[in-house]
Amino acid sequence: MRFMLLFSRQGKLRLQKWYTATAERDKKKMVRELMQVVLARKPKMCSFLEWRDLKIVYKRYASLYFCCAVEEQDNELITLEVIHRFVELLDKYFGSVCELDIIFNFEKAYFILDEFLMGGEIQDTSKKSVLKAIEQADLLQEVLIYCYIDQVDL
Amino acid sequence: MSDVVEKTLTALPGLFESQTGAAKITNRLRQLIKSITELTSKHEEENLIKRELSAIKEQVSSPNTTMKQMREIMVRAMYCEMLGYDASFTYIHAIKLAQQGGVLEKRVGYLAVSLFLNEGHELLLLLVNTVLKDLQSTNLIEVCMALTVVAQVFPKDMIPAVLPLVEDKLSHPKEIIRRKAVLALYKFYLIAPNQVQHIHAKFCKALSDKDPGVMASSLHIYLQLIRESPDSYKDLTGSFVTILKQVLGGKLPVDFNYHSVPAPWLQIQLLRILSLLGKEDQSTSELMYEVLDESLRRAEMNHNITYAILYECVKAVYTIHPKAELLEKAARCIGNFVLSPKINLKYLGLKALTYVVQHDAKLALQHQMTIIECLDHSDFTIKRETLELLFRITNAQNVTVIVEKMLDFLCYVPIKTLTFAPDNSWFIQTMNDVFSIGGDLLQQDDPNNFLRLLAEGKPEEDDQLRLYAVESYLTVLKGHTSHLPQCFLQVMSWVLGEYAHLQESVDRREVIRLLTQLLDQRSVSSETRVWILSALTKIPEGQTDLILDLAESLSSSQDTVLRQQAQELRHLSQDSQLREWVLVENSCAVDSSLSFLDGFVSEALAAGAAPYKPPHQRQEELSLNLEPYSFSLPVSLSSCSITDRQSPTLLSVSSGLSGNSAELSTLILEGVKRVWGKDGYLPQKEATAPPVDEPSAAVQPASQQEAAERIEPRPEPSTQNQDKQQLASSLFVGLGVGSSVSLVRKLFYDGFTASLRGNVMDCLEARSTSVCHYALLMDDPHTNVSLTGTVSYQTQPGHTNTLPFSGTLSTADFIRPLVVTTEEYGKLWLSLSHDVKQNLKLLTDAGDPLRTTLNALKDALQLHVVDIIGSEGIVACRLLSGAPCLLHCRVNGAALAMWLRSPHPALPDFILYHCQRALAHH
């Protein structure tokens, strides 16, 4: 996967993760362009589109668009499921997630994404272990013991 | 901003209370986000963020800021960056936070670094030590964070520093660490493959890891490795097959199930690997047939994830060495995709078809109807994929339709497809479209190839094409030209310069005026100006005044090339003898035997020069490298041609201006027989045009092809051809009077007259009958055709009696069923170019409206109902011994959506008219 974007129906960027080195200026341009293209699409249209040399796979959940860029030869359907799995993870973590959760806790959303995708490839297909890793890191906030790890079975 | 957000904002406090401790947000961030949502303009937002950033700047530089506060500041900075504002002054603090903070601060610090910095950013060097320290930490979470950041952003040159530590992690007791280490190495492999070359054995260990997560991660590396050199990993085929079997057999922990499908990502990865391994390798492919079969069989559940696997499986089946049974199953799967009402699946079906038609073009035929529907789909993506598919199945029969569709849509035609062009006018017209729309996006080769195509044809055959081009370009140039792309202008000026003289009716002055007009346009590039000028040079003399004016106006041009050309143009237009020398009409003729050099050569030989040896002979004699000298021959050659012409300054006149041919024109001697073309010797063709048979008594209109009514004399009804016999309209004349009867029939046929001599009887016995059969064919449909004729006979020599007769025939009389299979229908459908769509009345009085309606049409018009599938029916008919017409009928509410196609432009309209009538009368 080249990058993942989350943006609202109003065209506000909520999350961006780039898996290949891209210049800041290009990123901004691509995000702007892509948001326009995706937002202009009608609900009945298919979730894929060819854009530049990439294949864009997107899906709308409530007011939020999840949008992934993959290579031409990649499997679009499985990318759609990657998005869905990410939503499931967010949902489980925040408890029925909404756009506001992601706006106000965007760094958490990043942590979950990092635990789920690494270097653009899916890390673990087990939902339980992704969330376990996040929760354990979160727990430190309360416990604040650094040798904690010895007792925890990751 | 978003009204959704605004509405929800009032409910915010309650929302935050309900969050777990982990999701608590800081006050400052909350304030920031809240105030941004309240803003009404972009300008206000800018001011707010500016204030926010200066506050952050103050805070980060204050020595009293704690790490905990810094973490909160960093989150705000990330937010500002996400909104598109520059917070680069915080980058260094993000690195500091990762370096000095506790685990929680570190996590935010690393996140900020990975969001802020690119792989190449110089600040990343400061991160290397932190990463090294964290990789060696006893805290697993710190190790995880370090591995994550290493896989996300890490300077390429610093990989060797961390590599040993990451490698060590491959044998870490915790699976999560091993997994992340494998993925970090995968990332290293992608950005610097030679760095990780030495640890292939360790990848192998990861592949056999007892944890499925680690094993799955290692497949990313293997996929990459195998993609690069499939042959080195053939021995692993067995292992991959076994893993896939185990996954399919549900041997993995339930945890890995996704919507009750076992480890779909893993399956897809394995299928990709297998297809790479089995490609063009029969023995390896044989190892995987069984598991692929099982994979196809297992994926039955109606969920996206199973379709994703199926798609990958189908691709694998078509990539590896083919096995008939599997191909058949895979083809059926594709059918399911294509016919699916879900648009995503339909898209994937088209994509699979596109992939598959390269192996088996017939598969596309089964889905003709769907493909046609997709072509007019409102979704850009679907349309585009369909065109891609069509492009793969382009052939001589369907090229017109397909290119038309492509032009409609993409305005991009691969020139290659145009080699199938059916006729001149279509070709030129299409090329005009391509040039004017595709324009400067075209590859340089495209205009060149097009010009070569025009130039290389034989004059007799291709003058037609050239004439058409000239005419068409003149029309284009008379219109609005400023929007035309440069390459099109160049093509046009070349063609006009070269071939305008072919068109007698064209006023030279007009051509010059049009071209000169182009020169005045500001949008025309200087390269194009050169093309235009050289075209003007080639247009035959006689218009000296215009040319001189032009040369005068250009002589002060700032462009030296143009100035030079203008100068040359002036000289040439004043000196017609010179002009004749320089510009020989048929510039293709080249005396490549160089016979004109004979004198020079014999002189040189006499002066003691070595005789000429062809290069290959010289090669044999000398083993030295001849490269630097190989130019000597052409150089001496051209200099000699200059002296020969006695006009050295004029050598440059046309060189480089109008392509190769003009360059060569300096070598031409008048009177050289045209025996050499660009490709070599042109064999002298004997004029053996077959004598054209003049129809003796024909009074046909000038355009014989259009007056396409043929009347074929048919002395006896053929018993073999039942069909024709039944269909043909026959006329008989029986007369039993007189002794000497001469029968001459004249048939008047819808405005066209055709006449022929029928059976001329010398003498007809009394009371006997003479029968005369004619088959009437309709090539050009008309709603009604009136037919008149006469019978002339002589009862006495010199005394002729005439009997007139007449009748009316409608198109319906000439329609016959066309018996084809669904497959043939599909093939034919694609090759037809003219279509008409119309909604017709649906006969709803019976149980099955579609069938009833089609049967009614069939009875009335002798159509052939090919197939009825659900709410769609396909029907075929043809004009008697002529053009076919295909009808595609679909029930659309209370109407019947009829779509007709035929190679004949007018036929669908007439058939539609008769269908309407038939249904109205029903």
Side-chain angles (χ1 to χ4, degrees):
Chain A
M1 186 182 296
R2 298 281 196 88
F3 59 84
M4 187 190 244
L5 302 176
L6 266 71
F7 50 87
S8 70
R9 219 177 40 188
Q10 287 77 24
K12 292 275 172 191
L13 189 62
R14 297 298 179 211
L15 208 81
Q16 55 171 338
K17 189 82 186 173
W18 300 77
Y19 293 107
T20 44
T22 317
E24 206 53 47
R25 217 188 39 208
D26 294 340
K27 279 188 193 171
K28 277 186 189 152
K29 198 168 160 234
M30 286 164 91
V31 169
R32 204 172 45 236
E33 242 176 71
L34 197 55
M35 279 203 281
Q36 258 175 16
V37 177
V38 170
L39 288 174
R41 287 178 66 83
K42 299 192 179 68
K44 282 276 174 64
M45 293 184 168
C46 77
S47 304
F48 320 121
L49 60 111
E50 273 158 68
W51 183 75
R52 300 195 178 181
D53 57 334
L54 294 174
K55 186 59 78 49
I56 304 297
V57 179
Y58 72 92
K59 187 154 185 186
R60 182 176 157 181
Y61 288 88
S63 56
L64 208 55
Y65 282 88
F66 289 69
C67 178
C68 291
V70 294
E71 315 275 336
E72 178 61 36
Q73 74 270 15
D74 275 336
N75 187 325
E76 291 90 346
L77 274 186
I78 202 79
T79 314
L80 215 48
E81 295 309 297
V82 167
I83 293 177
H84 189 70
R85 166 49 65 96
F86 182 46
V87 174
E88 281 180 358
L89 287 169
L90 290 171
D91 204 50
K92 189 120 190 206
Y93 181 80
F94 289 107
S96 82
V97 69
C98 69
E99 190 185 340
L100 277 175
D101 290 320
I102 293 170
I103 302 176
F104 286 102
N105 302 286
F106 69 90
E107 85 278 16
K108 303 280 183 211
Y110 274 122
F111 293 144
I112 295 174
L113 184 60
D114 277 346
E115 203 53 50
F116 173 53
L117 293 171
M118 192 165 153
E121 298 292 348
I122 191 156
Q123 270 194 65
D124 200 329
T125 54
S126 149
K127 188 151 66 179
K128 221 165 71 190
S129 69
V130 174
L131 290 177
K132 209 162 95 186
I134 295 286
E135 271 155 19
Q136 273 163 0
D138 282 347
L139 265 179
L140 289 172
Q141 197 158 0
E142 270 87 54
V143 187
L144 287 175
I145 328 167
Y146 292 102
C147 55
Y148 169 80
I149 271 333
D150 300 333
Q151 303 145 33
V152 180
D153 176 38
L154 264 176
Chain B
M1 217 187 124
S2 140
D3 41 19
V4 181
V5 174
E6 238 162 30
K7 269 179 214 157
T8 333
L9 272 174
T10 48
L12 269 184
L15 195 81
F16 295 131
E17 252 67 82
S18 70
Q19 299 282 348
T20 57
K24 225 187 268 168
I25 57 148
T26 56
N27 271 338
R28 289 299 297 269
L29 178 66
R30 182 175 149 188
Q31 265 172 19
L32 174 65
I33 295 171
K34 194 161 182 255
S35 27
I36 286 177
T37 55
E38 280 162 0
L39 299 176
T40 47
S41 74
K42 184 82 187 161
H43 184 66
E44 281 175 34
E45 187 189 290
E46 270 168 28
N47 284 335
L48 182 80
I49 300 285
K50 222 179 194 171
R51 279 202 302 279
E52 183 71 23
L53 284 174
S54 57
I56 291 178
K57 205 167 197 168
E58 206 172 294
Q59 277 178 301
V60 290
S61 49
S62 155
N64 300 325
T65 311
T66 63
M67 277 294 148
K68 204 173 162 196
Q69 284 168 324
M70 196 64 109
R71 187 178 96 205
E72 182 260 304
I73 293 168
M74 210 46 74
V75 174
R76 268 155 56 205
M78 283 193 263
Y79 192 79
C80 293
E81 280 254 321
M82 186 154 68
L83 289 178
Y85 298 91
D86 176 51
S88 51
F89 64 90
T90 56
Y91 294 176
I92 185 71
H93 298 281
I95 290 182
K96 255 195 232 162
L97 195 64
Q99 212 165 45
Q100 295 159 7
V103 177
L104 284 171
E105 285 81 39
K106 205 181 259 302
R107 190 156 72 144
V108 173
Y110 273 138
L111 176 64
V113 167
S114 70
L115 289 177
F116 290 160
L117 304 181
N118 261 330
E119 259 160 44
H121 204 287
E122 49 185 4
L123 279 180
L124 276 179
L125 291 177
L126 299 175
L127 196 71
V128 175
N129 269 327
T130 316
V131 170
L132 281 174
K133 201 182 86 203
D134 285 336
L135 280 176
Q136 296 170 77
S137 163
T138 50
N139 187 332
L140 284 193
I141 291 174
E142 286 181 346
V143 180
C144 283
M145 286 193 284
L147 286 172
T148 307
V149 85
V150 148
Q152 173 68 39
V153 276
F154 205 69
K156 202 168 158 183
D157 320 333
M158 286 297 135
I159 289 177
V162 292
L163 192 60
L165 286 172
V166 178
E167 255 182 87
D168 280 350
K169 296 287 176 278
L170 286 176
S171 42
H172 197 277
K174 291 283 182 237
E175 60 90 11
I176 186 171
I177 303 286
R178 294 202 298 274
R179 196 176 70 208
K180 284 182 193 282
V182 169
L183 283 170
L185 288 174
Y186 166 67
K187 190 67 200 265
F188 288 170
Y189 181 79
L190 289 184
I191 54 178
N194 20 2
Q195 309 266 19
V196 284
Q197 215 94 75
H198 62 287
I199 37 177
H200 283 190
K202 291 198 172 150
F203 293 154
C204 203
K205 217 176 130 226
L207 182 65
S208 49
D209 198 288
K210 64 179 188 299
D211 182 80
V214 181
M215 181 265 289
S217 304
S218 74
L219 292 182
H220 295 303
I221 299 182
Y222 275 106
L223 181 62
Q224 204 60 35
L225 290 171
I226 292 171
R227 196 170 281 154
E228 278 152 26
S229 79
D231 289 335
S232 332
Y233 297 92
K234 297 269 181 189
D235 52 326
L236 285 175
T237 314
S239 314
F240 292 127
V241 168
T242 318
I243 298 172
L244 186 53
K245 262 187 200 153
Q246 284 173 348
V247 175
L248 289 172
K251 297 274 170 26
L252 290 190
V254 196
D255 242 13
F256 284 87
N257 282 11
Y258 175 85
H259 294 266
S260 47
V261 176
W265 280 273
L266 182 54
Q267 285 194 44
I268 284 178
Q269 207 69 1
L270 284 167
L271 287 169
R272 283 184 187 158
I273 289 179
L274 287 181
S275 69
L276 288 174
L277 286 171
K279 194 175 182 184
E280 289 157 8
D281 182 345
Q282 186 171 1
S283 59
T284 312
S285 297
E286 273 164 5
L287 295 174
M288 52 187 86
Y289 287 148
E290 192 192 329
V291 77
L292 286 178
D293 191 39
E294 196 177 339
S295 208
L296 279 177
R297 200 150 33 86
R298 291 244 171 197
E300 277 161 353
M301 219 181 57
N302 193 10
H303 187 273
N304 266 348
I305 195 76
T306 49
Y307 285 119
I309 298 174
L310 264 184
Y311 173 74
E312 210 62 49
C313 210
V314 166
K315 248 175 102 174
V317 166
Y318 273 96
T319 313
I320 64 170
H321 187 86
K323 186 185 184 198
E325 190 191 326
L326 278 179
L327 289 177
E328 201 180 299
K329 282 184 187 171
R332 222 175 303 140
C333 278
I334 295 177
N336 289 341
F337 275 104
V338 174
L339 296 173
S340 167
K342 286 185 188 159
I343 186 135
N344 284 346
L345 296 185
K346 203 180 264 293
Y347 171 80
L348 230 51
L350 290 172
K351 202 178 158 191
L353 266 185
T354 311
Y355 184 75
V356 160
V357 286
Q358 300 171 44
H359 305 269
D360 181 5
K362 273 193 263 135
L363 260 179
L365 298 175
Q366 295 173 6
H367 303 294
Q368 295 297 322
M369 281 307 145
T370 322
I371 294 171
I372 297 300
E373 271 168 25
C374 288
L375 205 54
D376 288 327
H377 206 281
S378 55
D379 190 343
F380 188 89
T381 313
I382 300 276
K383 239 178 167 174
R384 184 174 163 167
E385 193 58 44
T386 316
L387 283 174
E388 181 75 38
L389 174 60
L390 289 182
F391 170 57
R392 308 269 164 133
I393 55 171
T394 306
N395 59 33
Q397 280 94 51
N398 58 20
V399 61
T400 340
V401 201
I402 289 182
V403 172
E404 207 172 281
K405 293 284 177 192
M406 285 176 169
L407 270 176
D408 281 354
F409 175 70
L410 267 187
C411 310
Y412 165 73
V413 187
I415 298 285
K416 192 199 100 170
T417 51
L418 293 178
T419 47
F420 295 119
D423 65 69
N424 292 344
S425 57
W426 183 84
F427 178 67
I428 296 289
Q429 207 51 51
T430 308
M431 285 311 295
N432 283 357
D433 290 347
V434 171
F435 282 131
S436 52
I437 303 167
D440 296 327
L441 296 174
L442 292 177
Q443 297 188 342
Q444 189 54 49
D445 279 356
D446 288 337
N448 288 352
N449 286 340
F450 172 69
L451 291 183
R452 182 172 311 147
L453 210 104
L454 275 181
E456 285 185 350
K458 291 169 200 72
E460 317 82 49
E461 288 171 23
D462 284 323
D463 272 358
Q464 207 58 39
L465 182 65
R466 292 170 190 155
L467 267 175
Y468 195 87
V470 168
E471 239 169 83
S472 150
Y473 293 161
L474 285 175
T475 325
V476 171
L477 285 181
K478 276 174 197 158
H480 198 63
T481 49
S482 60
H483 66 284
L484 293 175
Q486 301 301 318
C487 83
F488 190 27
L489 293 177
Q490 291 168 7
V491 165
M492 286 196 286
S493 41
W494 189 86
V495 171
L496 287 181
E498 207 71 22
Y499 301 119
H501 65 91
L502 291 177
Q503 178 68 284
E504 298 298 336
S505 62
V506 171
D507 180 10
R508 299 267 151 77
R509 298 184 74 88
E510 178 72 2
V511 178
I512 295 173
R513 196 184 57 78
L514 285 171
L515 288 173
T516 321
Q517 205 176 303
L518 276 185
L519 279 176
D520 293 338
Q521 267 178 34
R522 192 170 299 179
S523 57
V524 174
S525 75
S526 55
E527 193 195 342
T528 310
R529 282 170 208 271
V530 173
W531 283 73
I532 297 170
L533 268 184
S534 60
L536 285 168
T537 317
K538 282 180 275 185
I539 292 174
E541 84 257 62
Q543 324 299 339
T544 325
D545 53 332
L546 279 179
I547 295 294
L548 282 179
D549 280 354
L550 177 67
E552 188 57 41
S553 67
L554 283 175
S555 58
S556 56
S557 165
Q558 297 204 327
D559 192 322
T560 45
V561 179
L562 284 186
R563 232 172 26 231
Q564 185 189 346
Q565 268 194 302
Q567 199 65 13
E568 289 163 359
L569 193 58
R570 197 160 59 87
H571 276 294
L572 279 177
S573 58
Q574 286 168 330
D575 188 342
S576 60
Q577 207 183 352
L578 185 64
R579 186 190 170 84
E580 257 168 55
W581 259 359
V582 175
L583 296 164
V584 178
E585 234 180 56
N586 215 334
S587 54
C588 287
V590 175
D591 176 19
S592 66
S593 70
L594 304 177
S595 56
F596 61 91
L597 288 176
D598 285 350
F600 174 78
V601 172
S602 52
E603 251 175 61
L605 282 175
Y612 173 76
K613 277 189 179 135
H616 64 270
Q617 271 184 31
R618 281 174 280 170
Q619 203 84 42
E620 281 161 18
E621 287 166 24
L622 287 163
S623 55
L624 282 173
N625 183 9
L626 285 165
E627 290 286 310
Y629 305 101
S630 57
F631 288 109
S632 61
L633 186 70
V635 166
S636 66
L637 221 168
S638 61
S639 64
C640 111
S641 75
I642 290 167
T643 51
D644 205 41
R645 313 302 303 280
Q646 300 161 333
S647 53
T649 47
L650 278 163
L651 190 72
S652 63
V653 166
S654 45
S655 64
L657 298 187
S658 49
N660 319 346
S661 52
E663 205 164 38
L664 292 167
S665 62
T666 53
L667 289 176
I668 295 166
L669 281 187
E670 283 145 83
V672 172
K673 206 167 124 204
R674 191 181 175 228
V675 286
W676 289 94
K678 277 191 185 154
D679 297 327
Y681 184 70
L682 300 172
Q684 294 296 303
K685 274 210 314 192
E686 257 126 278
T688 50
V692 181
D693 295 292
E694 291 286 332
S696 54
V699 216
Q700 292 202 347
S703 52
Q704 291 194 5
Q705 289 134 313
E706 277 159 47
E709 285 74 20
R710 287 198 306 256
I711 298 169
E712 293 175 358
R714 191 178 260 260
E716 270 173 40
S718 151
T719 44
Q720 303 155 320
N721 202 334
Q722 277 288 333
D723 200 21
K724 260 190 183 164
Q725 187 187 14
Q726 180 198 0
L727 310 175
S729 315
S730 53
L731 302 166
F732 74 90
V733 183
L735 287 167
V737 224
S739 50
S740 154
V741 182
S742 136
L743 298 172
V744 179
R745 291 164 194 82
K746 262 197 174 157
L747 296 176
F748 297 92
Y749 190 76
D750 201 49
F752 296 111
T753 316
S755 100
L756 64 148
R757 255 167 238 289
N759 306 6
V760 181
M761 305 269 159
D762 285 336
C763 184
L764 198 63
E765 294 291 315
R767 285 189 196 82
S768 70
T769 314
S770 170
V771 181
C772 213
H773 290 274
Y774 291 94
L776 259 178
L777 299 177
M778 184 188 260
D779 277 354
D780 213 15
H782 302 265
T783 34
N784 284 307
V785 176
S786 54
L787 183 76
T788 53
T790 53
V791 180
S792 317
Y793 60 96
Q794 293 178 325
T795 39
Q796 287 156 7
H799 188 79
T800 307
N801 294 339
T802 309
L803 283 175
F805 60 90
S806 69
T808 310
L809 297 165
S810 82
T811 318
D813 294 315
F814 293 91
I815 296 172
R816 300 292 173 257
L818 176 67
V819 184
V820 288
T821 64
T822 311
E823 194 173 293
E824 286 162 349
Y825 179 93
K827 208 183 269 184
L828 196 57
W829 178 272
L830 261 199
S831 67
L832 301 182
S833 50
H834 298 280
D835 53 359
V836 172
K837 282 185 212 174
Q838 177 95 38
N839 278 347
L840 295 185
K841 188 176 120 190
L842 191 64
L843 301 175
T844 45
D845 44 346
D848 186 346
L850 178 66
R851 200 169 284 274
T852 318
T853 314
L854 291 187
N855 280 339
L857 289 176
K858 180 184 152 193
D859 294 343
L861 287 165
Q862 302 201 59
L863 308 175
H864 172 65
V865 180
V866 181
D867 207 351
I868 296 180
I869 313 151
S871 63
E872 293 179 31
I874 48 177
V875 181
C877 67
R878 63 185 170 82
L879 208 52
L880 186 53
S881 303
C885 180
L886 302 183
L887 298 86
H888 174 238
C889 315
R890 190 165 49 82
V891 177
N892 183 11
L896 182 72
M898 179 93 79
W899 186 358
L900 301 97
R901 274 198 171 188
S902 168
H904 196 287
L907 186 58
D909 287 321
F910 289 109
I911 293 194
L912 194 63
Y913 167 78
H914 284 289
C915 285
Q916 272 168 333
R917 273 180 49 139
L919 290 179
H921 287 216
H922 195 80

